[in-house]
Amino acid sequence: MHIVLDDTAMAAASQGNILASRLIHRAHAEPGWFLYAPTCALVEADRARQGTAEHLAALPGITVLDLDLPAALALAAEETWAAAHSQYAAQPTPDRPDGAIVATIIPKRWDGQPVRVLDLNA
């Protein structure tokens, strides 16, 4: 299971959201669970709730995704970098042929976007 945390999910995790906490635990404790934090979304989450980036980056179950050249080129045309980097990270890759699911607190943000969404509000 490959899951990308968007900036809202990261901020929610730092505030103790139970579903976000479960994802983090699974990514750390269960084989086959992978949790990703795109750098641009991490920055935006830290702007919303200071200390979020340092906290999430220190967790062993989370992989921070760098803003490499292909990602930067994909983001350049978008309005918000946090959402764009999350969407880019969720796209299929050789390691993730089915792509990844975007975990979010604002699922409507992803309406019409080519990503699968996991609503962390339940």
Side-chain angles (χ1 to χ4, degrees):
M1 178 70 62
H2 297 273
I3 300 174
V4 173
L5 297 173
D6 76 358
D7 55 308
T8 67
M10 292 181 204
S14 73
Q15 294 174 317
N17 177 286
I18 190 70
L19 295 177
S21 295
R22 286 180 184 164
L23 289 175
I24 292 167
H25 172 74
R26 283 192 163 171
H28 175 66
E30 294 183 32
W33 281 79
F34 303 94
L35 203 55
Y36 305 98
T39 303
C40 292
L42 193 60
V43 168
E44 197 61 36
D46 199 71
R47 286 180 179 165
R49 184 166 171 82
Q50 191 172 12
T52 298
E54 186 175 353
H55 172 73
L56 289 176
L59 295 173
I62 296 179
T63 300
V64 176
L65 300 176
D66 293 333
L67 182 61
D68 58 10
L69 181 58
L73 294 174
L75 272 67
E78 301 296 328
E79 188 172 318
T80 64
W81 285 25
H85 199 188
S86 297
Q87 180 180 334
Y88 176 81
Q91 299 308 305
T93 67
D95 293 340
R96 299 183 308 269
D98 294 327
I101 299 168
V102 175
T104 187
I105 293 297
I106 307 174
K108 284 192 124 343
R109 165 197 265 182
W110 298 101
D111 285 353
Q113 299 299 321
V115 296
R116 295 173 291 156
V117 174
L118 173 62
D119 185 350
L120 297 181
N121 289 303

